[in-house]
Amino acid sequence: MNLVVHLSRKLDRQPDVPALAGVAVRNYAGSDDIGRWLDLRTRAFADETPRVRPWTRADFVAEFISKPWWSPERMWFAVADEVVGSVALAFRGPADTAVPVVHWLMVLPDWRRRGVGKLLMATLEAACWEAGFRRIAIETHSGWTAAEGFYRSLSYRSGG
């Protein structure tokens, strides 16, 4: 059984980034955001099956900061009274043929179905468009059917 679902989307036009009342989007702003991201991850995945193991700051550094594709400008936080969501843009493959990949999209359960995920995805897609990329890939766990359904609602498809 394949545990990873691979989806992609072709961008045919520049994405519109909607406004969402009470929610601002900002980039990663330094080491204090590591703790915010770790807390968000713990809370966002608390009830998901399959479960995710707890992470440390060292895990965050290994997953993001130590990677050659890492850039603070490619990690976004959705902020209301607190951080309610986040997404990062990673790249897979050699630099000259790298493919942009949605990396760790997560939204707090109480903020789901309120437009936060769409806002973060539109922000990421707009950044891809501005950088000249017209296809974006996503990998998600096959057990996270709500996540897969969300991506499919945004026109991400298998094999494409």
Side-chain angles (χ1 to χ4, degrees):
M1 176 180 180
N2 190 358
L3 297 178
V4 178
V5 175
H6 298 271
L7 305 170
S8 67
R9 177 176 178 208
K10 182 180 178 194
L11 298 177
D12 296 323
R13 61 180 176 77
Q14 184 170 6
D16 296 320
V17 179
L20 185 59
V23 179
V25 175
R26 66 166 178 82
N27 294 102
Y28 175 89
S31 63
D32 287 347
D33 275 343
I34 296 173
R36 291 181 188 99
W37 189 93
L38 291 170
D39 179 63
L40 174 65
R41 182 182 178 276
T42 298
R43 294 168 62 198
F45 288 95
D47 296 326
E48 295 297 322
T49 302
R51 313 254 326 145
V52 296
R53 71 170 177 81
W55 271 21
T56 66
R57 292 176 75 84
D59 292 315
F60 181 92
V61 170
E63 182 77 4
F64 294 102
I65 296 173
S66 69
K67 302 292 190 206
W69 52 259
W70 164 252
S71 172
E73 294 80 27
R74 290 193 297 264
M75 177 178 270
W76 297 272
F77 289 86
V79 182
D81 292 334
E82 63 178 328
V83 172
V84 298
S86 182
V87 69
L89 175 60
F91 288 91
R92 301 287 187 265
D96 58 338
T97 59
V99 174
V101 178
V102 176
H103 199 61
W104 283 104
L105 173 66
M106 52 192 168
V107 176
L108 289 178
D110 289 348
W111 284 86
R112 292 178 187 158
R113 298 189 172 273
R114 294 171 64 178
V116 174
K118 286 182 180 179
L119 173 62
L120 288 166
M121 288 297 294
T123 301
L124 180 144
E125 290 170 352
C128 286
W129 181 272
E130 290 171 14
F133 294 100
R134 298 299 180 260
R135 181 165 299 283
I136 304 170
I138 292 176
E139 297 174 352
T140 190
H141 193 286
S142 62
W144 296 337
T145 56
E148 182 180 349
F150 170 74
Y151 293 132
R152 289 187 183 280
S153 78
L154 298 177
S155 300
Y156 284 83
R157 299 291 180 253
S158 302

